[in-house]
Amino acid sequence: MMIPTGEATIGPFFPPRYVDAGANDLTVFEGRKAKGEAIEIHGRVMQEDGTALENLIVEIWQADAGGIFRHPADPRHAQADPNFLGWGRAATDAQGNYRFKTIRPGAQEGRAPHINFMVMFSGLMRILKTTMFFEDGKDPVLMAVPAARRSLLIAKGNYEFNIRLRGENETPFFDD
Amino acid sequence: MKMIIQPRDERTQPARIIAGYPQTPLRSPKEPLVKRAPTLSELSGPLEVAKRVKLLGGDIAGQGEKQAIGQLIHLRVRVLDEDGAPVGGAVVEMWQANAAGRYIHPNDDDHAPPDPNFYGAARVVTDESGVFELRTVKPGAYPVPTRDGWWRPPHVHFSVFGRVWLARLVTQMYFPGEPLNAQDRILNAVPDAAARDSLVARYIPPGVEPYNALVFEHQIVLRGRAATPAQP
Ligand SMILES: [Fe+2]
């Protein structure tokens, strides 16, 4: 039984089945395997004092292995991988960790490979958006970030992307 | 395809740090948000989320022996884009407290009883006119046990997938004429009065279907100057 604290009782209280089983695995869609290199992305989400946040919702949106978005705004969308949705959702565990299995996205003209992130949680009056990159480069969205903070958007290893909502090494978020 | 995205008007969006909501100063970014020129990546977005998540239909009040306790209400909500055009095929997730003001959630305390016949959440898709309808029970208010105690008025949470990533919206809907609306820290974190009012549903007097529930209509604007304020 949890002690009722301010934390415990303002919400939002996401429904028990808000994160569907398999929603964090983008490598399979409707039972069929997506094309490309399967990768895992994981990370810890923390608040100002470094405390890890449990049951926080993370969503991602990305292009397929060919760099194509499954959306009519993409002029190449007719060639999009039919077995790749490009969207996923995960909740953080008790240690504040989220995990996605996905496909390493291809680049688009003018954009480096990247994955869009969205975070929703208690204490966030508005959802927060950020973008993960695989390496430093001349991407316009990365270049919009002050140079000293760019490295915070670049995944480490295979592939770790921590999200600090506030405080030391605060993740850059975008004004969307 | 037309893809001009107007920015949201800051006065129509809630303050990020508010008194009496102790999580907000720990979790809201301190650094200014980075402005970026939208690219294809943000001007596209998931259109087929309904194929990935389980939909849970338009009647969450239940029927027969499985009826939830509470005032039956019927919500008719229209989802619009920034030009006022209906957004058909949008996935909308909704969740709410039961009639006693209790959620099914391990962090919700014991201030009020759970209702075994009320799950309190739905996931629906808008029709071609941007509308979805829900039969539910009116959510109860619930107390916020901070030192200066305040209450959340009856409200419904919505999470909406528009046509593009920039249009992703998480918000709440309130009920008209509720005395607790005036003291709610979350609703009143929106500076602009008209924007606050846009979060309050409209009560439809008797005489329209369905005849056995109180009918409320509401609209959600995903982007632009008239965008519905975000809410946690
Ligand atoms: Fe709530």
Side-chain angles (χ1 to χ4, degrees), chain A residues 2 7-9 11 18 20 47-48 59 70-71 89 111 114 116 122-123 126 166 173 175-176, chain B residues 10 14 21 23 26-28 30-31 34-36 39 41 48 54 93 107 123 145 163 168 223:
Chain A
M2 285 187 103
E7 171 70 84
T9 44
Y18 194 61
D20 296 64
Q47 65 180 20
E48 182 171 47
E59 291 181 7
R70 188 187 184 100
H71 189 280
R89 173 182 281 169
R111 290 294 319 263
H114 65 278
N116 298 297
S122 158
R126 315 182 201 174
R166 184 185 178 92
F173 295 100
D175 185 11
D176 280 359
Chain B
E10 188 61 24
Y21 190 171
Q23 290 75 34
L26 296 171
R27 299 178 184 167
S28 309
K30 189 179 272 174
E31 298 288 340
V34 177
K35 295 202 186 301
R36 59 175 167 190
T39 69
S41 188
E48 294 162 277
K54 198 162 185 268
E93 303 176 298
N107 286 4
R123 236 188 227 138
R163 293 197 181 104
R168 188 81 178 80
R223 284 290 308 183

